[in-house]
Amino acid sequence: MTIRPTLRQLQYLSALAEKQSFREAAAACLVSQSTLSAGIRQLEEILQVTLVDRECDHFRLTVLGGEILERARCLLRDADDLVAAAQRHDKPLAGRLRLGVIPSIGPFLLPRALPSLRQSFPELKLYLREALSRQLLDDVRAGRLDAAVVALPYPIDDFACQTIGNDGFRVALPLEHPLANKEAISSEALKNEALILLEDGHCIRDHILSCLDLVKAARRSRESGAEHIEATSLITIVQMVANGLGVTLLPEIALRAGLADGLDIALLPLVEQPAERELAIIWRKNSAFEPNIRLLTGHLANFV
C-alpha cells in the first residue's frame, strides 16, 4: 500500500519555504516548531528524499525540494478549490472570489459593474488586486488569485478564457493640434508625432503599437526621430496630451468612464479598423471556480 503525504505536511513545507524560518512557519501554521519540524521529516521519509538543506547556515531547500514545493502548492491550491466548490455548490456567485485586474481596465470597469454585482449576489465576497498582466497570470497559476481580467492579445495558452467584450481605441490629440479637425486619422499621419505610452510592462502599450504596426505605421523613434514619452497611468497620459506634449491612443472603456472629460483633447477614430483589444477573464483550467467565473464574466459584459 502506497503511503501518501498529508496535506498538513505539504502545508508545513509551503509555509517553511514562504517564511524561510522554522519558527515563523510554525507560528503561521499554529503549531509548535517541533511539530512542524517533525512533520517535514515525516514528509522526507515518505518521499525518501531530502527537502531541506540542514547543513546550510541559512534556510535553503534542496533542488529537489524546490521542485516538490511547486507540486505541493498545486495540490494545496486544488484542495482549497475543492473545499470552496463544496461550500457553494447550490449558491451561484457566493463565498470568496479573488480577482485580479490590470490597471487599464480596473478603474474604468469595476466601479460601474460592482454595485449591481453586489446587489445581485449579496453573498459574494470579492477580493480585488490590481497589477500588470504578467504578475496576475503568475498569481492565478500559483493559486493566489482565482481569476484575472486581462486584455488580449496576450500569451494565455495554459489558461481557460472567456471574452467579456471588445474595447476600441481613439486617437487623442491636443485640441489645438493641426490634425484635431479631421474626421479620422491614419496611423501614417501619426508617424512623426511624439507618442505618449504607458511604461514597458503594460500590455496596453503593446496593443497601441500593434494597432499602428498593423498598417505599417512609421518606424517610430529610430527612423523618424519622433519622441517617445512614457507615463505610469492613463490619468497622467491624458494630462500630458491636454498640455500639448504629444498624442496617444486611449481605450474607449476609459473614455466612457470620463477619463478625458473637461480636458482640451480631441478624440478621433483611426482610419484603419479594427483598432481594439479584447477584454477577457482567465482562470486555471478545471478550476472549481469556473461556474462562478463564467457568471461573473456575463455580468461584466453588460458594462463593456
Side-chain angles (χ1 to χ4, degrees):
M1 179 178 177
T2 301
I3 301 177
R4 296 184 177 91
T6 66
L7 291 177
R8 192 64 167 163
Q9 291 165 345
L10 299 179
Q11 181 186 17
Y12 291 162
L13 178 64
S14 179
L16 181 60
E18 179 182 351
K19 299 298 183 180
Q20 300 283 296
S21 160
F22 279 89
R23 179 178 57 81
E24 293 183 17
C29 294
L30 302 178
V31 298
S32 67
Q33 185 171 331
S34 60
T35 297
L36 182 131
S37 181
I40 290 179
R41 285 196 179 277
Q42 290 168 1
L43 179 60
E44 290 177 318
E45 291 172 2
I46 292 171
L47 299 177
Q48 298 182 353
V49 298
T50 300
L51 301 173
V52 181
D53 185 356
R54 294 177 176 81
E55 303 300 324
C56 183
D57 292 337
H58 303 286
F59 169 79
R60 185 172 66 188
L61 290 177
T62 63
V63 173
L64 186 55
E67 295 176 3
I68 289 174
L69 171 66
E70 293 306 311
R71 290 174 176 261
R73 285 175 169 167
C74 289
L75 290 170
L76 291 169
R77 179 196 69 197
D78 291 343
D80 288 341
D81 279 3
L82 183 150
V83 173
Q87 291 176 343
R88 61 174 186 276
H89 72 282
D90 60 345
K91 294 181 179 179
L93 273 180
R96 185 186 72 175
L97 183 66
R98 300 166 298 176
L99 181 68
V101 61
I102 60 174
S104 63
I105 298 177
F108 313 111
L109 173 62
L110 296 183
R112 296 164 50 223
L114 292 188
S116 61
L117 183 68
R118 292 193 186 99
Q119 184 175 9
S120 300
F121 304 99
E123 294 188 51
L124 174 65
K125 299 189 185 312
L126 190 62
Y127 295 84
L128 298 171
R129 183 184 177 204
E130 186 178 275
L132 300 182
S133 299
R134 180 179 61 254
Q135 182 61 58
L136 293 181
L137 266 60
D138 286 345
D139 286 345
V140 173
R141 189 177 291 110
R144 293 184 291 269
L145 291 173
D146 303 310
V149 180
V150 298
L152 307 178
Y154 196 86
I156 56 165
D157 294 342
D158 54 339
F159 292 97
C161 174
Q162 184 172 344
T163 298
I164 299 174
N166 292 330
D167 183 27
F169 286 103
R170 292 280 170 167
V171 180
L173 312 98
L175 206 54
E176 301 302 322
H177 194 283
L179 298 174
N181 60 354
K182 300 280 188 180
E183 291 187 4
I185 298 178
S186 69
S187 57
E188 183 71 17
L190 300 175
K191 69 179 182 180
N192 292 320
E193 299 292 332
L195 185 61
I196 308 176
L197 299 168
L198 287 175
E199 294 174 328
D200 194 23
H202 290 267
C203 60
I204 193 173
R205 172 193 180 101
D206 298 326
H207 297 153
I208 290 172
L209 291 174
S210 293
C211 286
L212 301 177
D213 290 342
L214 282 174
V215 290
K216 311 242 182 247
R219 310 270 193 269
R220 302 213 43 92
S221 307
R222 295 193 182 104
E223 296 183 9
S224 68
E227 190 179 354
H228 269 247
I229 304 171
E230 294 185 342
T232 58
S233 71
L234 290 177
I235 293 175
T236 302
I237 284 180
V238 293
Q239 293 292 337
M240 288 181 170
V241 173
N243 282 280
L245 298 180
V247 304
T248 193
L249 269 62
L250 295 175
E252 290 181 346
I253 193 172
L255 296 174
R256 288 195 298 271
L259 177 67
D261 288 359
L263 297 176
D264 293 333
I265 290 178
L267 298 168
L268 305 171
L270 270 175
V271 171
E272 302 85 9
Q273 293 295 331
E276 61 185 19
R277 57 182 182 162
E278 180 183 352
L279 309 188
I281 291 187
I282 61 96
W283 64 92
R284 297 184 303 277
K285 291 179 179 178
N286 302 316
S287 169
F289 289 92
E290 181 168 330
N292 275 353
I293 294 168
R294 290 193 181 278
L295 278 175
L296 177 62
T297 305
H299 181 86
L300 294 180
N302 296 322
F303 297 88
V304 175

